Amino acid sequence: MSSILSGLKDLGLGNLEKKDIFEEKTKTPVVKKEAAQPEPKKEQTDEREYVFGKTHTCPVCYKDFKAPTVRQSKIRPAGMDKDLRPRFKNFDPMKYDVILCPHCGYAALGRFFHNITPPQAKLVREGISRNFHRLPEKEVFTYDEAFIRYQLALGNAVVKKARASEKAYLCLKMAWIIRSKKEAIEAGTEEVEKAKYLQTMEELEQDEEELLNNAVEGFLNARQTETFPMCGMDEVTLDYIICVSAMKLKKYDLVNQMLNILLVRSGLNSKLRDNCIEIKEELRRIKNEEA
Ligand SMILES: [Zn+2]
């Protein structure tokens, strides 16, 4: 990604590619990468069993459309990563969390889709719909097709001046989508050109870190200015995610700061507490090695 929003040019929204996601924040260094290439055609018959076309009425253009929606009864959870990213067997429902209106380009995570104020809808019509080129409608998505929908949701969030938490939460989920894609490549269910395997994996790793970095920055901002619950998360959960993500990003001062807050909280369950203690020990080991 030359920026988190690169790729939107193809949808007529090239002007968004260079937008600052958290306006007043300083820009994070960007990673050079070519725009996403279309995925090689693959058998997608299986995934069709997991989704159905649900009809929505768009709160921006008032037209009806159908969006692929996950059949909840089909989902098989398979644990969580340390940063609470949920894992699933056979099928990843996270690919379908963004709802996109194919008529006007309005896109948002399901939990935010219908919560748009009239002034925000106006901003979307002016900043997105006016230039939006339709995406081919699909019953099921590859990770790249899912990712462009997330980018569009983030572009919409910037245009409609969404809260920092909504933008940060999108960045977090985008980082998780990238991680899922990496895992799918490793498992052989997502194709990648053999000669470019190492390069692709390295770029995906960098993309994930860039997105996590934006998520952390946005959540730190939201933590000071918004009230909980935030995107369905309580304060302990959010602080925990910031802590684990900061560890991955090697922001050790921030990790330390979050651990000091988290370890004295009563709302931290034993599993998360154990993870925090583990991180604390790892941090001590790193500090000792540095000394
Ligand atoms: Zn619409």
Side-chain angles (χ1 to χ4, degrees):
M1 285 181 291
S2 58
S3 92
I4 285 176
L5 295 176
S6 70
L8 291 183
K9 195 171 67 213
D10 297 341
L11 309 183
L13 302 170
N15 60 324
L16 282 177
E17 289 190 344
K18 291 189 180 68
K19 270 229 167 191
D20 243 338
I21 297 165
F22 302 101
E23 304 86 9
E24 68 279 23
K25 289 274 157 191
T26 46
K27 255 194 174 157
T28 49
V30 292
V31 183
K32 285 265 170 282
K33 203 188 110 181
E34 284 167 21
Q37 296 299 311
E39 278 298 301
K41 281 274 163 282
K42 284 181 66 179
E43 275 302 321
Q44 290 178 338
T45 43
D46 286 345
E47 209 143 295
R48 278 169 231 275
E49 294 171 19
Y50 294 83
V51 295
F52 67 101
K54 186 177 171 183
T55 304
H56 297 270
T57 302
C58 176
V60 170
C61 71
Y62 309 111
K63 289 182 185 153
D64 287 348
F65 66 93
K66 272 190 176 174
T69 304
V70 173
R71 290 183 197 278
Q72 294 298 324
S73 60
K74 292 267 189 182
I75 298 178
R76 297 287 174 266
M80 273 184 189
D81 287 352
K82 214 174 218 177
D83 65 358
L84 307 184
R85 165 194 165 240
R87 277 184 269 121
F88 303 90
K89 269 184 208 139
N90 308 327
F91 166 78
D92 185 357
M94 219 163 32
K95 285 201 276 186
Y96 299 91
D97 284 354
V98 169
I99 302 175
L100 162 67
C101 170
H103 306 295
C104 72
Y106 171 54
L109 286 170
R111 69 164 59 242
F112 299 113
F113 190 78
H114 291 284
N115 301 338
I116 182 168
T117 64
Q120 284 180 317
K122 188 165 177 265
L123 289 171
V124 169
R125 281 191 289 272
E126 287 163 1
I128 301 282
S129 311
R130 199 174 277 173
N131 303 310
F132 175 66
H133 298 175
R134 289 177 76 125
L135 275 169
E137 279 177 60
K138 297 266 184 157
E139 281 177 81
V140 293
F141 306 144
T142 63
Y143 277 109
D144 287 348
E145 286 162 353
F147 192 76
I148 192 88
R149 282 160 176 82
Y150 272 89
Q151 286 184 309
L152 200 47
L154 185 57
N156 268 271
V158 171
V159 164
K160 74 177 183 192
K161 302 190 192 301
R163 288 177 175 174
S165 59
E166 182 177 341
K167 292 182 278 189
Y169 190 56
L170 271 164
C171 290
L172 177 68
K173 297 200 75 156
M174 287 163 85
W176 288 352
I177 285 279
I178 296 283
R179 196 182 305 163
S180 302
K181 182 181 169 182
K182 255 188 326 191
E183 288 174 1
I185 290 173
E186 277 163 352
T189 50
E190 185 96 353
E191 277 173 31
V192 64
E193 214 182 303
K194 245 192 186 146
K196 286 192 175 166
Y197 180 85
L198 282 178
Q199 190 195 343
T200 304
M201 294 304 261
E202 201 174 296
E203 282 171 356
L204 289 172
E205 183 70 29
Q206 287 170 347
D207 289 351
E208 184 190 331
E209 283 187 9
E210 189 191 347
L211 286 159
L212 277 182
N213 194 39
N214 275 277
V216 166
E217 292 295 313
F219 280 139
L220 286 173
N221 176 347
R223 221 174 151 270
Q224 306 298 329
T225 54
E226 299 177 32
T227 51
F228 289 93
M230 215 180 267
C231 310
M233 295 181 283
D234 61 15
E235 199 171 352
V236 172
T237 308
L238 184 72
D239 286 354
Y240 173 80
I241 290 175
I242 292 174
C243 180
V244 178
S245 304
M247 191 67 188
K248 188 173 166 97
L249 296 167
K250 301 189 171 74
K251 294 182 173 227
Y252 299 134
D253 288 344
L254 179 57
V255 177
N256 210 13
Q257 202 183 319
M258 298 319 287
L259 283 175
N260 288 339
I261 296 170
L262 280 163
L263 286 168
V264 296
R265 286 256 179 79
S266 52
L268 192 67
N269 71 38
S270 57
K271 170 88 180 126
L272 300 194
R273 178 174 299 275
D274 287 350
N275 287 347
C276 282
I277 292 168
E278 216 173 273
I279 292 171
K280 196 171 180 164
E281 281 163 7
E282 202 182 330
L283 203 57
R284 191 175 301 145
R285 220 170 21 244
I286 293 165
K287 294 271 180 212
N288 284 343
E289 276 168 21
E290 277 176 359

